[in-house]
Amino acid sequence: MGAGIAAHLANVGLRVLLMDMVPKALTDEEQAQGLTFEDRAVRNRLAEAGKARLLQESPSPLYTPQALDLIETGNFEDDLHRLSEVDWIIEAIVEDLGAKRALLERVEPYWREGTVVSTNTSGISIARMVEGRSPAFRRHFLGTHFFNPPRYLPLLELIPHPETDPKIVEDMRRFAEVKLGKGVVVAKDTPNFIANRIGTYGLLVTYRTMEAMGLSVEAVDAITGEAMGRPKSATFRTLDVVGLDTFLHVANNVVANVSDPDEKAAFRAPDVFRTMVERGLVGQKRGAGFYKQVRENGEKKILALDLKTLEYRPRQAFSAPSLVAGQGKDLKTRLERLLFADDVAGRFAWEVTKKTLLYAAAKVGEIADSPADIDRAMKLGFGWSLGPFELWDLLGVRRVAERMKKEGETLPDWVEALLREPEPAFYRQEGTEVVVFGRGGYAPIVLPPEALSLKRLKAAGRTIGGNRSASLVDLGDGVLALEFHSKGNALGTDIVAVANEAFRLLDDHFDGLVVGNEGKNFSAGANLMLMLMEAEDENWDEIDRLVREFQAFTLRIKYARRPVVAAPFGMTLGGGYEVAAAADRIVAAAETYMGLVETAVGLIPAGGGTKEFLLRMVERVPEGVKLDLQPLVNHAFETIAMAKVSTSGEDARRLGYLRPTDAVVPNREHLLAEAKRAVLELVRTGYTPPAPRKIPVVGEPGYATMRLGIYQLQNRRAITDHDAVIADKLAFVLAGGRVPKGTLVDEQYLLDLEREAFLSLIGMPKTQARMAHMLKTGKPLRN
């Protein structure tokens, strides 16, 4: 965990000193090298091993491998004096109060006033940890609970104790949100804080309900995943990732530190969990938990654990009418069809949900000041689509409360007070502000200045146009937003129509445009299903029209009279990247997975993506410098042909998808506001649209070079014959066709080449087979 935190700090450009214990014994390898305990290589071995593992882990904890250069290693015996050099000390050792207190005692002599000290604990008392330390040290001490893995889970719980300086809490909140990209929640110094307290309770309720109803591990995971607005890993697959031993430690921490006997009983783990830990069945890190992967006849198979016999068996499919009824529906419909259904899945899901909602309501004021903090913690830390109180609102506060009472449940007094409102809801929109009901009535949820919410603006009536696939939203200060909200944010004619309206508004009413949204991903590209259907019907003129229309769309973005800034995040693939690439600036989230992936379905980028990536390569040559373009074009060819996707925003810069002038923002919640600021900065500095330019191409000689590479790969059987056909079409476009080397061509010429190659490929049966396979399985076909 310490190495993971160090990696994320390095990701955002911070220099880190990573320290660990001095090993107690030499390894055989160290002895063979003649090393002793006096050698730094031995003394820093544990920290070095933690650093080295960062390059091996998947998914990578690093934005780029180069971030590793910012991490220096040391050890607790030789390097504690260096703590006087740093601004923030993070303790992340074993979850043991005595060990943590002993280490902090060793830290204090080297600590200088003004340096923040924090502990990465999942639930140990912050106040007890600094007993015996000086008043100044205690004022600078708090909990910083990173969720694992630190790069990918955005939640950071800040836990002050009674003596923590409030200014330090606020400074750390701002620093963590802006610099580290974290979603920060301030928690009370109570056992397991917020997310682990609610999450652990909910999981134990899930197990007890499962046991009472006689359900299997697979059945519970089928119900408690996406059907309930939770991650695909659901309950037991999540436990396998976390580690059952870790989970028991967290649960036992509550048992040991709460006084209510009913709550102690609720957190007491079942005997079968303890038995599993004793047998080493703790999850993925030991190769077996609630599930186990085996090989049978050369094929991978997943077995499930029978909790009655503790024997593994083939997984058993589970379904129920309520689950089937919700498939493919929006979240509200899915939840209503499941939670109010009178079948086994519905009864199970309702019981788990009811108990979790009631427990969360009972803990408001004890573990967090506001229901909003609990909701935020569960979404950011556990990946829930909705927090407990947002879910309650979605289902109807009065409807749920009346059912609970009918079943003999008692609601907290503050929830009863809410029910006396004419239209009870935990959240309410008041203008552009959202208020939340808690123990003191309604209070505003204040967004930080770096955040901008389309949802809030739309609820306040700032939508000025749109259709079922896209909306136009007034962001204020003369900036318009084009928001995608089609299924999967797939790009189609509906979005192009709204975009054309945006361009008309830009001419007369707005100073600039932000292209962004608040979906799961920016956009995974064009509507592949539509294209395949047209191809199967041999509607070549219609496909030609659609491609021309999309090319015109990206050109309008590029040459709009007002500045356009794209704000991509998550999957930004194919047409999604083509839209972003056409903008004057890209302000990308740190977690942006960007790429031109059309070759995976037998096509090439034809909405301007091939042309724009080539332009980015050409721009790397300083004006007036004579430099061979071929290596840069080869990079473009390799990147697009291999459908390379960036592993982060910074990796997108390395691959060439981003220009040096583009920005990467650590916190996705700040993305739209940063994009709006970029628009206003372009306006302030006197924006003029770019002038069309001629593009030098490598021509026939460059095409021949790329064809030679294709032939060699094909000859080694590294690619299929159809891969070679696709690659040849791509090489032809990137080379600029059959023209002399150094020929200057215009953008429309390259767009025509893109379109012709696309139309040629989509008519091929092997390409259509690739498209169909991707739509059916989500995986590429190598035919």
Side-chain angles (χ1 to χ4, degrees):
M1 191 64 187
I5 295 170
H8 189 62
L9 299 177
N11 282 337
V12 298
L14 301 176
R15 300 195 66 82
V16 185
L17 173 60
L18 176 64
M19 292 192 286
D20 208 323
M21 296 184 295
V22 173
K24 292 182 171 61
L26 293 172
T27 65
D28 292 342
E29 185 180 356
E30 288 167 342
Q31 288 178 339
Q33 292 173 358
L35 298 176
T36 71
F37 281 110
E38 301 306 312
D39 291 295
R40 291 289 289 192
V42 173
R43 300 178 74 77
N44 290 354
R45 187 214 309 153
L46 296 180
E48 278 292 334
K51 178 180 175 180
R53 279 196 302 273
L54 297 173
L55 286 174
Q56 301 162 5
E57 293 179 17
S58 181
S60 175
L62 301 164
Y63 287 166
T64 65
Q66 289 70 34
L68 211 61
D69 296 339
L70 292 172
I71 302 176
E72 182 183 354
T73 60
N75 67 75
F76 294 157
E77 293 184 14
D78 302 325
D79 299 300
L80 283 181
H81 68 278
R82 295 194 57 192
L83 297 180
S84 62
E85 306 168 9
V86 306
D87 302 301
W88 180 14
I89 300 167
I90 308 172
E91 171 276 308
I93 66 169
V94 62
E95 283 285 84
D96 178 85
L97 178 60
K100 288 178 181 289
R101 290 178 67 171
L103 181 58
L104 292 173
E105 185 177 2
R106 294 176 62 191
V107 164
E108 185 167 10
Y110 303 103
W111 169 80
R112 60 178 171 83
E113 189 156 356
T115 298
V116 175
V117 187
S118 70
T119 173
N120 181 68
T121 175
S122 59
I124 296 175
S125 169
I126 308 302
R128 291 184 63 194
M129 210 179 291
V130 280
E131 288 174 352
R133 306 276 59 76
S134 69
F137 190 93
R138 294 199 300 268
R139 283 196 300 274
H140 288 78
F141 188 78
L142 74 164
T144 49
H145 180 205
F146 288 83
F147 274 63
N148 196 23
R151 170 185 166 181
Y152 295 100
L153 282 182
L155 179 62
L156 176 66
E157 290 179 324
L158 290 185
I159 312 101
H161 63 98
E163 296 176 67
T164 306
D165 185 341
K167 184 178 185 305
I168 286 175
V169 178
E170 186 54 34
D171 288 349
M172 287 301 292
R173 179 209 283 271
R174 299 270 300 131
F175 178 79
E177 288 178 342
V178 175
K179 184 67 175 176
L180 304 185
K182 289 296 178 182
V184 176
V185 175
V186 178
K188 306 260 190 185
D189 188 9
T190 55
N192 293 2
F193 315 130
I194 299 175
N196 278 344
R197 185 76 167 264
I198 302 295
T200 303
Y201 175 87
L203 197 146
L204 289 168
V205 163
T206 299
Y207 173 79
R208 292 190 177 100
T209 308
M210 160 191 174
E211 189 177 41
M213 296 182 67
L215 295 177
S216 67
V217 164
E218 307 97 301
V220 170
D221 276 356
I223 300 168
T224 59
E226 292 181 313
M228 285 180 65
R230 309 279 179 84
K232 288 182 180 179
S233 55
T235 298
F236 294 108
R237 280 178 292 166
T238 297
L239 262 181
D240 275 353
V241 172
V242 170
L244 188 57
D245 52 345
T246 302
F247 173 79
L248 287 187
H249 178 85
V250 173
N252 290 338
N253 190 53
V254 179
V255 175
N257 290 287
V258 297
S259 55
D260 181 0
D262 289 339
E263 192 164 16
K264 281 181 179 289
F267 278 86
R268 195 164 284 116
D271 292 339
V272 67
F273 284 11
R274 301 180 192 282
T275 303
M276 286 176 65
V277 171
E278 290 168 4
R279 296 188 184 183
L281 306 178
V282 297
Q284 286 183 5
K285 59 187 173 184
R286 294 282 190 89
F290 293 96
Y291 297 97
K292 180 170 75 169
Q293 183 174 286
V294 297
R295 278 193 173 273
E296 291 182 5
N297 301 320
E299 291 186 9
K300 290 181 181 179
K301 288 191 176 181
I302 305 294
L303 304 180
L305 188 67
D306 186 319
L307 292 180
K308 292 179 181 177
T309 65
L310 289 186
E311 298 290 335
Y312 288 97
R313 52 163 175 71
R315 286 185 296 177
Q316 300 169 351
F318 176 83
S319 187
S322 58
L323 292 176
V324 174
Q327 286 177 356
K329 305 298 181 183
D330 62 89
L331 181 59
K332 185 175 190 296
T333 304
R334 281 205 314 270
L335 288 166
E336 287 184 329
R337 292 186 178 180
L338 174 62
L339 293 171
F340 298 113
D342 189 20
D343 62 15
V344 64
R347 291 190 295 273
F348 175 87
W350 165 253
E351 186 65 21
V352 169
T353 299
K354 176 181 71 172
K355 294 293 187 185
T356 305
L357 295 184
L358 287 169
Y359 185 74
K363 294 296 130 184
V364 171
E366 179 184 335
I367 66 173
D369 286 328
S370 167
D373 290 334
I374 293 177
D375 281 347
R376 185 167 167 79
M378 298 316 297
K379 289 187 294 181
L380 297 180
F382 278 72
W384 292 10
S385 298
L386 298 169
F389 303 100
E390 291 172 327
L391 172 60
W392 205 330
D393 268 358
L394 187 73
L395 299 173
V397 172
R398 199 180 301 281
R399 178 189 191 187
V400 170
E402 287 175 355
R403 181 173 176 183
M404 288 175 172
K405 290 181 181 181
K406 188 176 179 181
E407 294 174 4
E409 305 291 351
T410 302
L411 276 58
D413 291 344
W414 73 274
V415 178
E416 290 286 6
L418 174 61
L419 291 170
R420 290 192 284 274
E421 292 280 325
E423 296 181 11
F426 291 99
Y427 294 90
R428 198 165 65 193
Q429 183 91 22
E430 294 183 354
T432 58
E433 198 171 65
V434 174
V435 296
V436 61
F437 192 90
R439 289 191 176 274
Y442 281 106
I445 302 173
V446 180
L447 287 177
E450 298 83 10
L452 190 64
S453 168
L454 288 175
K455 183 179 178 181
R456 284 195 182 193
L457 292 172
K458 291 168 76 174
R462 299 276 281 274
T463 304
I464 58 174
N467 55 32
R468 64 181 182 177
S469 298
S471 293
L472 298 176
V473 183
D474 183 353
L475 298 183
D477 301 312
V479 181
L480 181 66
L482 169 62
E483 176 198 21
F484 309 152
H485 45 71
S486 57
K487 186 174 181 180
N489 282 343
L491 299 166
T493 54
D494 281 357
I495 288 175
V496 173
V498 176
N500 288 334
E501 176 60 26
F503 296 130
R504 286 190 287 274
L505 290 168
L506 280 181
D507 287 340
D508 301 314
H509 303 289
F510 288 89
D511 297 325
L513 177 70
V514 169
V515 183
N517 63 74
E518 293 173 335
K520 185 177 180 181
N521 296 293
F522 179 74
S523 174
N527 189 329
L528 190 62
M529 175 66 80
L530 173 63
M531 284 292 185
L532 178 59
M533 289 170 60
E534 298 293 355
E536 289 176 337
D537 290 341
E538 299 185 358
N539 291 333
W540 312 124
D541 288 344
E542 178 62 12
I543 294 173
D544 182 75
R545 184 190 70 78
L546 290 170
V547 175
R548 286 177 186 273
E549 185 178 74
F550 194 74
Q551 289 180 341
F553 168 39
T554 57
L555 282 177
R556 288 198 76 178
I557 293 175
K558 184 167 186 174
Y559 294 109
R561 290 175 55 196
R562 311 293 185 192
V564 179
V565 174
F569 59 91
M571 286 195 291
T572 303
L573 306 176
Y577 174 69
E578 290 175 315
V579 168
D584 295 289
R585 295 282 187 278
I586 295 177
V587 177
E591 296 300 340
T592 301
Y593 317 119
M594 185 174 277
L596 292 165
V597 296
E598 285 83 354
T599 58
V601 290
L603 300 166
I604 74 159
T610 306
K611 175 258 300 182
E612 281 298 321
F613 199 84
L614 177 62
L615 262 174
R616 278 154 173 73
M617 296 300 101
V618 171
E619 289 168 359
R620 293 187 177 190
V621 180
E623 194 170 343
V625 175
K626 288 190 175 181
L627 191 69
D628 184 8
L629 278 177
Q630 191 66 53
L632 295 170
V633 175
N634 289 349
H635 173 77
F637 173 68
E638 180 182 315
T639 302
I640 300 172
M642 295 180 68
K644 290 185 179 181
V645 177
S646 72
T647 58
S648 67
E650 288 300 338
D651 192 48
R653 195 188 303 282
R654 179 188 67 84
L655 287 171
Y657 289 117
L658 297 184
R659 289 183 166 108
T661 52
D662 295 328
V664 176
V665 176
N667 194 326
R668 184 184 150 185
E669 293 180 336
H670 299 172
L671 195 60
L672 289 169
E674 289 297 331
K676 176 184 172 182
R677 269 189 276 277
V679 168
L680 293 174
E681 179 63 15
L682 287 168
V683 172
R684 187 187 68 79
T685 53
Y687 176 79
T688 55
R693 60 174 293 185
K694 295 287 187 176
I695 305 161
V697 294
V698 293
E700 281 200 276
Y703 176 43
T705 298
M706 288 183 275
R707 288 192 72 190
L708 177 60
I710 296 166
Y711 171 77
Q712 290 171 336
L713 288 170
Q714 193 176 11
N715 199 41
R716 297 202 312 265
R717 300 194 176 183
I719 60 174
T720 69
D721 289 346
H722 194 54
D723 288 333
V725 170
I726 301 160
D728 184 82
K729 297 284 186 185
L730 175 63
F732 188 79
V733 177
L734 286 170
R738 298 189 181 281
V739 296
K741 181 180 179 179
T743 300
L744 296 175
V745 302
D746 59 30
E747 288 183 75
Q748 189 57 55
Y749 171 80
L750 289 173
L751 287 172
D752 290 341
L753 290 182
E754 281 188 15
R755 190 180 67 258
E756 290 162 8
F758 185 93
L759 287 165
S760 171
L761 288 167
I762 202 170
M764 296 179 182
K766 285 189 176 181
T767 285
Q768 292 176 23
R770 289 190 177 200
M771 295 169 72
H773 190 268
M774 178 65 75
L775 288 166
K776 183 178 180 181
T777 68
K779 297 177 182 178
L781 172 67
R782 294 290 303 281
N783 58 353

